[in-house]
Amino acid sequence: MNTQAKISYISDNFPYFTTIEGEIPFWDHPMLKGEKVLPKKYFPYTRLEAVLDLYRRGLLDEKDITLLKVLGDAVCANEDQLRRYMAPIMSRSDTSKRLDRFRTYALVERWKVRIRGAEEEVKPPAPFTLGVAGYKLLKHFYNSDFFMNPELWDNYGIGGIKRYVAMNELRCIMTEKKIAKKWKWHAVIANNPRIKYPMGTAEIRTPQGNLNFLIDRAQMNQNFIGFIKERLEHWKKVYESYGNLPVSEFPVNPAVVVIYTATLSMAEFIHNQILLDSYPYRIWVCVEEHLVKDGFETAFYVPRESKLQRIKLDLF
């Protein structure tokens, strides 16, 4: 594999991996910076009673609640993704107007993300997360569901923002194509919360039967080789015990571990370093540059000895 020609270095220990066209995908750029941006009119609701009063007085309708729930379920999604998630029930402009109104009351928070040192012309769709009011409202109505506490973003920062936005691109496409029957963040493996969990798990419909995708994202600004290898080794022990990778609260389907990368060059580098075909369970690689350009069915590779072989999924 000719990966070396596709790897550049910001410093001796800071590699980045370009697309086939020689670009660094925005949502995996090592030099991203980000911050929350408060609206000009800002009257944050921080107590549950005040937030519920918005609903009681009819200032929030059922579509508002649905939009908040969609964002809560996504954890962090950019504006374009939220428009696409909401397309079955409202227009793109209506989604944006509601998000803008939500910011006034701290139902949601908007982030400004840019490439450090680059021209301001590069302005991607803004990411959104739940604000304190939105979090309190959703936890009241959907108490058993997981929603990210807004305070945690102070710790996760831009690394967490871009990781969830990148994962939501895959999740959003699967939702649009009605491929994913079920999705869960941080699902428990083999009923053991001490086992390393995948970032996202999806039950995928196929004509040959359903599959469980255990998906993790490799990010350029982390020790992604160590991160991926640690999980693969944990799951190897589970597979040797069960003959599968059982996921709590999911049907017993054959499991496929999916390593989701921004570029093909990064995927090839991972395979070269870890030898993905040496593990006993199925591992596929999903390449985001193909996902966006060519579509879901052609975005996958399987490891074959020293190479990654591109496959076409038959899902329809």
Side-chain angles (χ1 to χ4, degrees):
M1 289 180 292
N2 186 26
T3 31
Q4 293 301 320
K6 301 172 186 176
I7 304 173
S8 300
Y9 289 84
I10 296 173
S11 66
D12 290 341
N13 299 311
F14 207 161
Y16 60 90
F17 300 82
T18 59
T19 64
I20 295 170
E21 289 79 18
E23 301 173 347
I24 306 175
F26 185 89
W27 293 110
D28 202 13
H29 201 293
M31 301 302 288
L32 285 191
K33 62 177 182 177
E35 59 187 11
K36 289 184 286 188
V37 179
L38 300 180
K40 293 180 179 179
K41 295 181 179 180
Y42 189 52
F43 308 103
Y45 283 37
T46 59
R47 297 179 60 190
L48 178 60
E49 303 92 285
V51 181
L52 289 176
D53 195 51
L54 280 175
Y55 183 71
R56 183 186 62 80
R57 290 189 288 141
L59 298 177
L60 295 175
D61 60 24
E62 292 303 320
K63 288 185 177 180
D64 289 330
I65 301 298
T66 299
L67 176 53
L68 284 171
K69 181 65 162 56
V70 165
L71 175 56
D73 289 342
V75 183
C76 172
N78 68 35
E79 188 166 2
D80 177 66
Q81 291 165 347
L82 290 170
R83 287 169 165 180
R84 289 154 57 197
Y85 279 132
M86 297 300 296
I89 64 172
M90 68 178 66
S91 69
R92 292 172 63 87
S93 62
D94 193 14
T95 298
S96 295
K97 289 176 182 177
R98 290 172 189 263
L99 289 170
D100 192 54
R101 175 164 53 86
F102 290 171
R103 294 175 64 207
T104 300
Y105 305 110
L107 290 162
V108 303
E109 293 179 330
R110 183 178 182 271
W111 292 71
K112 177 182 177 182
V113 180
R114 298 290 186 269
I115 298 173
R116 195 181 305 276
E119 297 292 333
E120 282 289 306
E121 284 79 16
V122 182
K123 297 179 181 180
F128 283 84
T129 57
L130 287 178
V132 61
Y135 175 75
K136 287 181 178 293
L137 184 68
L138 289 182
K139 286 303 290 183
H140 178 76
F141 285 121
Y142 306 95
N143 188 254
S144 63
D145 291 358
F146 166 78
F147 302 109
M148 184 72 80
N149 189 323
E151 294 180 7
L152 293 177
W153 291 112
D154 292 334
N155 298 324
Y156 295 152
I158 188 59
I161 293 292
K162 67 180 185 179
R163 187 173 174 82
Y164 277 100
V165 170
M167 280 288 284
N168 265 297
E169 188 58 34
L170 176 58
R171 180 176 179 264
C172 189
I173 288 174
M174 291 194 295
T175 300
E176 290 173 320
K177 292 183 171 293
K178 297 180 173 61
I179 293 169
K181 187 176 180 182
K182 184 175 182 178
W183 175 279
K184 186 174 179 61
W185 299 103
H186 313 307
V188 174
I189 305 298
N191 291 318
N192 186 348
R194 298 180 67 181
I195 295 173
K196 297 293 183 182
Y197 48 74
M199 186 175 182
T201 302
E203 184 183 8
I204 303 298
R205 296 184 177 95
T206 83
Q208 292 77 36
N210 291 0
L211 300 171
N212 290 339
F213 276 11
L214 283 64
I215 310 165
D216 240 308
R217 174 75 173 184
Q219 295 284 146
M220 292 186 200
N221 65 330
Q222 69 179 166
N223 173 20
F224 57 87
I225 294 297
F227 175 83
I228 294 296
K229 190 171 184 178
E230 183 182 32
R231 277 156 175 73
L232 297 183
E233 291 295 332
H234 264 241
W235 300 340
K236 180 179 178 180
K237 295 176 183 177
V238 174
Y239 188 87
E240 289 170 346
S241 297
Y242 291 87
N244 195 10
L245 296 174
V247 182
S248 300
E249 302 178 33
F250 271 69
V252 180
N253 298 319
V256 179
V257 171
V258 177
I259 300 172
Y260 180 36
T261 68
T263 69
L264 176 59
S265 60
M266 189 178 187
E268 290 176 333
F269 182 79
I270 290 171
H271 181 41
N272 186 47
Q273 296 293 309
I274 300 180
L275 303 177
L276 299 175
D277 60 338
S278 66
Y279 288 88
Y281 45 81
R282 277 190 289 182
I283 299 177
W284 295 351
V285 180
C286 179
V287 177
E288 187 178 9
E289 62 175 310
H290 296 328
L291 180 72
V292 174
K293 183 179 179 182
D294 304 323
F296 181 86
E297 297 82 2
T298 62
F300 289 82
Y301 287 77
V302 295
R304 295 278 189 263
E305 296 182 349
S306 63
K307 296 182 179 180
L308 290 177
Q309 179 181 332
R310 196 171 184 180
I311 60 174
K312 184 173 183 179
L313 299 184
D314 180 18
L315 298 179
F316 304 103

